[in-house]
Amino acid sequence: MEKDWVQELTMILGEAKVQTSVADVHSYSFDGSFGEYVPEAVVHVSSTEDVCQVMKVANAYKVPVTPRGQGTCLSGGPLPVHGGIVLDTSQWPSSVEIFPDDLIARVSPGTLTSTIHEAAAQHGLMYPPDPSSAHVSTIGGNLAENSGGPRGLKYGVTKDYVLGLEVVTPEGEVMRTGGKTIKNVTGIDLTKLIVGSEGILGVITEATLKLVPAPPALQTMMAAFDSMRAAGEAISKTLVSEILPSKMEFIDKACARAVENYQPSGLPIDAEAILIIELDGHPAAIQEEAEKVERVMMELGAKMVIMPQSAAEAAEIWKARKLVSPAIAKIKPTKVSEDATVPRSKIPEMMEKLAAIRENYGIELVVFGHAGDGNLHPNILCDKRDKEEMQRVELAVAEIFQAAIDLGGTLSGEHGIGTMKSPFLEDEIGLTGVDMMKRIKQAWDPNGIMNPGKVFAEEGQRLVLTHD
Amino acid sequence: MEKDWVQELTMILGEAKVQTSVADVHSYSFDGSFGEYVPEAVVHVSSTEDVCQVMKVANAYKVPVTPRGQGTCLSGGPLPVHGGIVLDTSQWPSSVEIFPDDLIARVSPGTLTSTIHEAAAQHGLMYPPDPSSAHVSTIGGNLAENSGGPRGLKYGVTKDYVLGLEVVTPEGEVMRTGGKTIKNVTGIDLTKLIVGSEGILGVITEATLKLVPAPPALQTMMAAFDSMRAAGEAISKTLVSEILPSKMEFIDKACARAVENYQPSGLPIDAEAILIIELDGHPAAIQEEAEKVERVMMELGAKMVIMPQSAAEAAEIWKARKLVSPAIAKIKPTKVSEDATVPRSKIPEMMEKLAAIRENYGIELVVFGHAGDGNLHPNILCDKRDKEEMQRVELAVAEIFQAAIDLGGTLSGEHGIGTMKSPFLEDEIGLTGVDMMKRIKQAWDPNGIMNPGKVFAEEGQRLVLTHD
């Protein structure tokens, strides 16, 4: 016997949009993070009107709703941890309208982020946020999680490029926030409140994004160091030399070796640390800057600096960087991927703390990430069937979070709090901050149906990486 | 007989910090906008602890509190429209700590914005937001109002440079939001919610600001046009030529003549429209860009393009631009200064609508502003003692707002809603948006003591520019 709310949604939206079979709901029970949670129904939406209908029924029946794009989230955003409805936006027709005179784009939530990149490029424009998943993740997910990526250093993150939103509230009302202009101080800023709120405040059904002129030229560089500290100092030194690279990525020895084992890509495997840098701007400017960066790298003891002379050579280096994540996933069956972020100057210290954590807990900990903005990705390779090992991993993860906070950093730079990090939220934000966040959630979603179980820890919740 | 809450505050903070004499309270009854509202007390605060004490007492007695910096606000933010306490932060010791390795600054709310500019410059860094009032306004006020300025075009506004805040809640609790890193997705974004909330959600007691490397070179240009539309098209054409100027300002003929009458500054007085542009970046890049911009200006019929060859000559032009506001204030006793903002491509249309409004209502309407980001400053010169004229001005202002909204723009680009624009909020935001904003306000400030009478219109409120 079908539930009343399933019947009601089926009647409104049609059978094809409401799925409840075991096979169907299991396909929507996981994302790119940990854990599996099976929803009671998957509802495919392809218009704002659809979303309003779902939210109104769900609110009336007090059924949880968890919005989902392509499910690439690394923090559990699309996991229906309290069951109910997975609201799937991945079938929403892709739509990107570019308004070149206004330097803006209007997009639908189901659009792949890479589709926006391509559409902007056709007008000589750029949408800067570029999470690694850009070719498989939807902009709706990027907006909900405030995705980052390597260009954060110079260009900021997703939130910095959102001018306006259309949002369906937890009670099923349509709301427009912000607008089409860079400057807008009309009322309090709901746009930036909703971006990065991990789907707990509403469902994003349209966005107006800010674009910038595409930089006329790019120059990639790769430098190898025999010491982690020297690499960290080279990053700091570059950034105080009046140069703001568009990307400044870091790969440790273990990551480089994993890539070369997985798919030989020409990364040096005997260096402790590799920096991959991209400069963008006017050709004359980046040539000067590249020479300056090369001098900084050599002064700080780089054993090698490579400056590719063609776009194809540069693309090879960036391809190797993108292979890090899949390559390290081959080391052991389970990958716990973190994104603790520290002020840039604290990168060498954070690297030392991570090395100590690796030793103390006898875990396989590798590090790569967006070094220029302090956003590291410590990854622990383990086996989730090994309970003893996973307990050590749990302790190590907690210590990584504390290390980031102690250095003036944050639990999460770009992945989000979601399910796993919520027990640590109060350590960083404090009791009053968490209380004020919860007041907003309660005021907007009095029935608590909008993606419950995220961001805020439940009574007694702690980090658990093992599931029976 | 003193009120109980005055006695209690005097006991806690000392007599010097709590003023209630007629002369004292009258000094805090106005700002840079319209209207005079006399508070019951002025309380000078110089620490977070002071602010907590004031908020706790005020909340207990349900007394309104209106935070105030230097009172330069153009929308009524610091006006105590419901009486109660003006919380004066202008005596708070100025403090700017620059952390050059992290590209951040930590500042106290009473610091003048220009002090931050100077401190950053000493490290080869830049704090980009530069409202015209930067040399006399406090950063606390800039944060509360999300100040803009001419660099918005390329660099965005105040909000884009705030990484973290310390805030005292309406109930007197201290809260830290955000942090010191560019990337931070730990919890929902209270930082950007509070910046620009016009003092209705709490009192900002410290801020961590993002800095950028100072551009190595600047080039100013001035172009004069015989037609408003041609100037508007020149702006659009420049912005789709892969050039993003750091400033792109517009002055109409009436403004240029006012400046030349006030203090001769070399502005052409026979042109319908003047554009003043600044390019920043690498010297080679800006030289090429300047040539490109000059070609665009000439193609679109500029009657003159001046390219100053020294910093001193450039400074003269920018000084003339800064004189617009004081110069037009001399035309008539009263200046109603608006900041309606439209998508960039709509500037020519907005200019035509403004010309029609000027004709229809027989008012003295001049226009200048930040044309590159669509942020115009239509200013109406009038005499507030002339009731008949002021009624025409009220109608004209309402029509300016509607024109901006009709073109996909906003009521306020950088001044804030405050007291005057609140009756128009719902026209732009819609009922649901206003409701969701009010829910946050209610959840955070259940007694409604934090700067009441701002942003949201009161029952039956309409625009009134005359006061008896």
Side-chain angles (χ1 to χ4, degrees):
Chain A
M1 184 58 192
E2 292 266 69
K3 293 185 167 66
D4 289 348
W5 56 267
V6 172
Q7 286 181 354
E8 202 164 321
L9 283 174
T10 307
M11 213 161 67
I12 297 170
L13 298 171
E15 271 184 27
K17 287 190 170 179
V18 185
Q19 301 183 319
T20 54
S21 80
V22 173
D24 287 331
V25 295
H26 271 83
S27 310
Y28 294 84
S29 66
F30 53 87
D31 69 354
S33 74
F34 260 76
E36 273 188 56
Y37 300 88
V38 182
E40 291 161 82
V42 177
V43 181
H44 305 287
V45 287
S46 50
S47 71
T48 304
E49 186 50 31
D50 282 356
V51 177
C52 289
Q53 300 282 14
V54 176
M55 293 314 305
K56 280 185 174 154
V57 171
N59 193 48
Y61 286 90
K62 299 191 172 56
V63 178
V65 177
T66 300
R68 181 187 177 95
Q70 287 286 359
T72 57
C73 189
L74 295 170
S75 60
L79 297 180
V81 301
H82 287 196
I85 297 166
V86 164
L87 186 90
D88 173 45
T89 61
S90 67
Q91 298 179 15
W92 195 304
S94 179
S95 162
V96 188
E97 284 173 275
I98 305 283
F99 301 87
D101 287 1
D102 293 326
L103 298 180
I104 63 178
R106 188 161 59 199
V107 301
S108 69
T111 307
L112 294 186
T113 307
S114 58
T115 305
I116 302 170
H117 290 152
E118 289 153 18
Q122 284 175 12
H123 295 271
L125 299 172
M126 175 166 78
Y127 170 66
D130 59 343
S132 295
S133 60
H135 56 298
V136 287
S137 63
T138 63
I139 188 71
N142 287 192
L143 291 163
E145 300 289 334
N146 189 20
S147 298
R151 287 208 195 94
L153 168 59
K154 178 167 182 173
Y155 290 99
V157 294
T158 299
K159 188 179 303 246
D160 298 311
Y161 294 88
V162 189
L163 299 178
L165 295 174
E166 183 188 76
V167 176
V168 176
T169 70
E171 293 161 311
E173 301 296 329
V174 182
M175 163 170 72
R176 288 209 157 263
T177 73
K180 299 177 186 172
T181 59
I182 292 175
K183 288 179 175 168
N184 182 324
V185 290
T186 297
I188 59 178
D189 192 340
L190 302 185
T191 307
K192 290 182 201 289
L193 179 70
I194 290 163
V195 175
S197 65
E198 308 191 16
I200 71 170
L201 296 180
V203 183
I204 296 168
T205 50
E206 188 187 277
T208 301
L209 306 174
K210 174 173 112 169
L211 306 174
V212 298
L218 304 173
Q219 176 67 56
T220 292
M221 307 175 68
M222 178 162 70
F225 290 85
D226 271 337
S227 121
M228 208 67 97
R229 181 164 276 278
E233 283 166 2
I235 294 165
S236 283
K237 184 82 189 290
T238 302
L239 293 173
V240 293
S241 307
E242 295 180 8
I243 295 172
L244 199 56
S246 46
K247 302 180 184 173
M248 198 162 202
E249 298 286 300
F250 166 84
I251 299 175
D252 76 0
K253 181 152 72 177
C255 290
R257 291 190 171 182
V259 169
E260 293 303 312
N261 283 334
Y262 178 65
Q263 189 173 315
S265 303
L267 292 179
I269 54 170
D270 53 345
E272 284 301 317
I274 300 170
L275 298 182
I276 306 179
I277 297 163
E278 184 189 83
L279 301 162
D280 73 359
H282 185 275
I286 62 175
Q287 192 184 331
E288 256 178 46
E289 288 178 359
E291 288 162 12
K292 211 164 168 182
V293 172
E294 187 174 19
R295 278 200 302 279
V296 169
M297 297 292 144
M298 298 310 286
E299 273 168 34
L300 282 155
K303 53 195 279 181
M304 176 190 90
V305 180
I306 290 176
M307 212 165 321
Q309 293 308 311
S310 72
E313 278 177 58
E316 282 298 306
I317 293 178
W318 287 108
K319 191 177 157 203
R321 164 63 187 82
K322 286 237 173 191
L323 286 174
V324 170
S325 202
I328 60 175
K330 300 284 173 193
I331 297 177
K332 289 189 95 174
T334 307
K335 178 163 85 96
V336 177
S337 175
E338 290 307 332
D339 64 326
T341 301
V342 295
R344 306 164 212 255
S345 67
K346 303 297 185 196
I347 290 173
E349 268 176 83
M350 187 65 183
M351 294 303 300
E352 281 167 13
K353 281 178 184 259
L354 290 173
I357 290 168
R358 181 194 293 120
E359 291 308 310
N360 287 348
Y361 293 101
I363 49 168
E364 196 135 356
L365 172 66
V366 305
V367 188
F368 66 99
H370 317 305
D373 55 27
N375 179 200
L376 298 174
H377 289 312
N379 273 252
I380 303 174
L381 295 324
C382 47
D383 184 341
K384 69 177 167 186
R385 294 161 303 187
D386 181 343
K387 293 218 163 172
E388 184 279 325
E389 183 184 29
M390 292 312 284
Q391 276 161 11
R392 280 183 285 125
V393 173
E394 284 167 7
L395 293 171
V397 167
E399 212 162 294
I400 290 172
F401 292 156
Q402 195 56 53
I405 294 172
D406 290 347
L407 290 172
T410 181
L411 288 178
S412 181
E414 58 181 16
H415 294 171
I417 296 302
T419 50
M420 255 176 61
K421 298 190 198 93
S422 57
F424 304 91
L425 184 67
E426 198 182 305
D427 296 343
E428 181 177 333
I429 305 278
L431 202 58
T432 303
V434 174
D435 173 42
M436 298 314 264
M437 289 181 188
K438 283 183 176 171
R439 291 189 195 193
I440 295 174
K441 167 68 175 168
Q442 171 65 27
W444 279 32
D445 180 19
N447 291 323
I449 59 158
M450 196 76 247
N451 207 4
K454 309 298 164 64
V455 183
F456 306 119
E458 312 199 25
E459 191 71 29
Q461 189 186 336
R462 58 173 207 87
L463 174 68
V464 178
L465 295 175
T466 49
H467 283 263
D468 293 315
Chain B
M1 183 60 191
E2 291 265 70
K3 294 187 166 67
D4 289 347
W5 56 267
V6 172
Q7 286 181 355
E8 202 165 321
L9 283 174
T10 308
M11 213 162 65
I12 297 170
L13 299 171
E15 271 186 25
K17 287 190 168 177
V18 184
Q19 301 183 320
T20 54
S21 80
V22 172
D24 288 331
V25 294
H26 270 85
S27 310
Y28 293 84
S29 66
F30 53 87
D31 68 355
S33 74
F34 260 75
E36 272 188 57
Y37 301 87
V38 182
E40 291 161 83
V42 177
V43 181
H44 304 288
V45 287
S46 52
S47 70
T48 304
E49 185 50 30
D50 282 356
V51 177
C52 289
Q53 301 281 14
V54 176
M55 293 315 305
K56 280 184 175 151
V57 171
N59 194 48
Y61 286 90
K62 299 193 171 56
V63 178
V65 177
T66 299
R68 180 186 176 95
Q70 287 286 0
T72 58
C73 190
L74 295 171
S75 60
L79 297 181
V81 299
H82 288 197
I85 297 167
V86 164
L87 186 89
D88 173 45
T89 62
S90 66
Q91 297 179 17
W92 195 304
S94 180
S95 162
V96 188
E97 286 172 274
I98 305 283
F99 301 87
D101 288 1
D102 293 326
L103 299 179
I104 62 179
R106 190 162 58 200
V107 301
S108 69
T111 307
L112 294 186
T113 307
S114 58
T115 306
I116 302 171
H117 290 152
E118 288 153 18
Q122 283 175 14
H123 295 271
L125 299 173
M126 174 167 79
Y127 170 67
D130 58 342
S132 295
S133 59
H135 57 296
V136 287
S137 64
T138 64
I139 187 71
N142 286 191
L143 291 163
E145 300 289 334
N146 189 23
S147 298
R151 286 208 195 95
L153 169 59
K154 179 167 182 173
Y155 290 99
V157 295
T158 299
K159 188 179 302 250
D160 299 311
Y161 294 87
V162 189
L163 300 177
L165 296 174
E166 183 187 76
V167 175
V168 176
T169 69
E171 292 161 311
E173 301 295 329
V174 182
M175 162 170 73
R176 287 207 158 265
T177 73
K180 299 177 185 173
T181 59
I182 291 175
K183 288 179 175 169
N184 183 325
V185 290
T186 297
I188 59 178
D189 193 339
L190 301 185
T191 307
K192 291 182 201 287
L193 178 71
I194 291 163
V195 175
S197 66
E198 308 190 17
I200 70 168
L201 296 179
V203 184
I204 296 168
T205 50
E206 188 187 278
T208 302
L209 305 174
K210 175 172 111 171
L211 306 174
V212 299
L218 304 173
Q219 175 67 56
T220 291
M221 307 174 69
M222 179 163 70
F225 290 84
D226 270 339
S227 121
M228 207 67 97
R229 179 162 277 277
E233 283 165 4
I235 293 164
S236 283
K237 183 83 190 290
T238 302
L239 292 173
V240 294
S241 307
E242 295 179 7
I243 295 171
L244 199 55
S246 47
K247 301 180 185 173
M248 198 162 202
E249 299 285 300
F250 166 85
I251 299 175
D252 75 1
K253 181 152 71 177
C255 290
R257 291 190 170 180
V259 170
E260 294 304 313
N261 283 335
Y262 179 64
Q263 189 173 316
S265 303
L267 291 180
I269 53 169
D270 53 345
E272 285 300 317
I274 300 170
L275 298 181
I276 306 179
I277 298 164
E278 182 189 84
L279 301 162
D280 73 0
H282 185 275
I286 62 176
Q287 193 185 329
E288 257 178 43
E289 289 177 359
E291 288 162 11
K292 212 165 166 181
V293 172
E294 187 175 17
R295 276 199 303 276
V296 169
M297 297 293 145
M298 298 309 287
E299 274 167 33
L300 283 155
K303 51 195 278 183
M304 174 191 90
V305 180
I306 289 177
M307 212 166 321
Q309 292 307 310
S310 72
E313 278 177 59
E316 282 299 306
I317 293 179
W318 288 108
K319 191 177 159 204
R321 163 66 185 83
K322 287 234 173 192
L323 286 174
V324 170
S325 202
I328 60 175
K330 300 284 173 193
I331 297 177
K332 289 188 94 174
T334 305
K335 176 163 86 94
V336 177
S337 175
E338 289 309 330
D339 64 326
T341 301
V342 295
R344 306 166 211 254
S345 67
K346 304 295 185 199
I347 290 173
E349 268 175 83
M350 186 65 182
M351 295 302 302
E352 281 168 11
K353 281 176 184 262
L354 291 172
I357 291 168
R358 181 195 293 119
E359 292 308 310
N360 287 347
Y361 294 100
I363 49 169
E364 195 135 357
L365 171 67
V366 304
V367 188
F368 66 100
H370 317 304
D373 54 27
N375 179 199
L376 298 174
H377 289 312
N379 274 252
I380 302 173
L381 294 325
C382 46
D383 184 342
K384 68 177 168 187
R385 295 161 302 188
D386 181 342
K387 292 217 165 175
E388 185 278 325
E389 181 183 31
M390 292 314 281
Q391 277 161 11
R392 279 183 285 126
V393 174
E394 284 167 7
L395 293 171
V397 167
E399 210 162 298
I400 291 172
F401 293 156
Q402 194 57 51
I405 295 173
D406 290 346
L407 291 172
T410 181
L411 288 178
S412 180
E414 58 182 15
H415 293 172
I417 296 302
T419 50
M420 253 176 62
K421 297 188 199 97
S422 58
F424 304 92
L425 184 67
E426 197 182 303
D427 295 341
E428 180 177 332
I429 306 278
L431 202 58
T432 304
V434 174
D435 173 43
M436 297 315 262
M437 290 179 186
K438 283 184 174 170
R439 291 190 195 193
I440 295 174
K441 168 68 174 167
Q442 171 65 25
W444 279 33
D445 179 19
N447 290 323
I449 58 158
M450 196 77 247
N451 207 5
K454 309 296 164 67
V455 183
F456 307 119
E458 311 197 28
E459 191 68 32
Q461 190 186 333
R462 59 171 206 90
L463 175 68
V464 178
L465 295 175
T466 48
H467 282 264
D468 293 314

